[in-house]
């Protein structure tokens, strides 16, 4: 009987909004890579730090230059086994890569926009600006596109990257 009461008490505690909330807020940020890939990934900061680090310079809206450091989106997609390089031809060119943020913002890139064989333009998932981690409104993960005139596809607070076939 005593055990039952303790068990029920524990169950109530674990499922209470307070406890669940506390769990959510302490959870480490990740970027989920899914869809048309061989190996879906769930990348943490430590995982991204293992990739080759690339720098992209971009002006902010006030015209000031910043150096962003991070990982090429193509390297992340390659690691997940998306069809890039020699595999990016024919029907695979009908794929797009959707990037999603924690505020619900979403943008897409055609897969060829991210492939080294099609373009030299760097698109990175940045983890640092000017050598420092990104703020909570920008990061911890931020898409930064070299030389794209408008900043609208530079998604802040990235949570997911999904490869899909266009219909
Ligand atoms: N997560 C997220 N990223 C976003 C947006 C957004 O609403 N949410 N807005 C985009 C748009 S429309 C613009 S113009 C730029 C603005 O970037 P800034 O606030 O760093 O200047 O962020 C882009 N990235
Ligand atoms: Mo914008």
């Amino acid at each position: 009987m005593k055990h039952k009461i303790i068990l029920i008490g524990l169950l109530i505690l674990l499922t209470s909004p307070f406890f669940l909330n506390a769990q959510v807020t302490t959870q480490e940020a990740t970027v989920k890579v899914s869809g048309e890939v061989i190996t879906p990934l769930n990348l943490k900061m430590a995982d991204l730090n293992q990739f080759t680090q690339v720098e992209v310079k971009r002006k902010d809206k006030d015209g000031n230059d910043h150096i962003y450091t991070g990982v090429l989106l193509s390297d992340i997609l390659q690691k997940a086994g998306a069809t890039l390089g020699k595999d990016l031809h024919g029907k695979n060119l009908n794929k797009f890569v959707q990037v999603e943020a924690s505020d619900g913002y979403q943008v897409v890139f055609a897969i060829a926009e991210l492939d080294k064989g099609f373009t030299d333009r760097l698109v990175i998932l940045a983890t640092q600006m000017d050598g420092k981690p990104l703020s909570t409104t920008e990061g911890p993960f931020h898409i930064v596109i070299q030389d794209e005139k408008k900043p609208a596809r530079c998604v802040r607070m990235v949570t997911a990257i999904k490869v899909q076939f266009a219909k």
Side-chain angles (χ1 to χ4, degrees):
M1 186 60 192
K2 202 172 162 193
H3 280 130
K4 215 170 175 181
I5 290 170
I6 291 171
L7 262 174
I8 290 168
L10 207 62
L11 203 71
I12 291 169
L13 178 72
L14 288 175
T15 55
S16 76
F18 170 76
F19 194 84
L20 290 176
N21 253 335
Q23 271 190 323
V24 166
T25 50
T26 55
Q27 212 160 60
E28 193 180 342
T30 61
V31 176
K32 189 179 160 197
V33 184
S34 67
E36 299 289 334
V37 295
I38 293 169
T39 316
L41 305 171
N42 220 353
L43 300 168
K44 297 186 172 79
M45 188 64 86
D47 301 317
L48 288 167
N49 289 340
Q50 300 294 311
F51 285 77
T52 303
Q53 300 296 304
V54 173
E55 289 186 352
V56 172
K57 192 157 87 175
R58 246 200 98 88
K59 283 192 196 307
D60 64 21
K61 54 180 176 294
D62 304 317
N64 301 312
D65 278 329
H66 294 285
I67 304 282
Y68 292 89
T69 309
V71 178
L72 283 172
L73 224 46
S74 60
D75 283 354
I76 293 173
L77 293 170
Q78 193 90 57
K79 171 112 183 184
T83 53
L84 290 176
K86 63 173 175 36
D87 296 324
L88 187 51
H89 56 83
K91 286 181 179 159
N92 289 332
L93 284 167
N94 200 28
K95 285 176 185 161
F96 63 94
V97 178
Q98 184 176 53
V99 178
E100 194 178 310
S102 60
D103 61 351
Y105 191 64
Q106 293 176 315
V107 307
V108 303
F109 297 89
I111 193 163
E113 285 187 276
L114 305 172
D115 185 86
K116 290 170 185 170
F118 283 79
T119 179
D120 288 327
R121 188 175 65 150
L122 305 173
V123 181
I124 65 168
L125 186 66
T127 55
Q128 291 184 10
M129 184 181 79
D130 303 326
K132 296 188 200 82
L134 296 160
S135 69
T136 48
T137 53
E138 283 188 82
F141 312 115
H142 182 0
I143 295 286
V144 178
I145 309 157
Q146 184 182 46
D147 298 330
E148 184 143 276
K149 289 204 275 178
K150 287 192 176 193
R153 291 203 297 178
C154 293
V155 182
R156 297 178 267 105
M157 306 176 289
V158 173
T159 53
I161 297 166
K162 196 169 176 183
V163 184
Q164 284 171 277
F165 270 110
K167 298 248 161 63

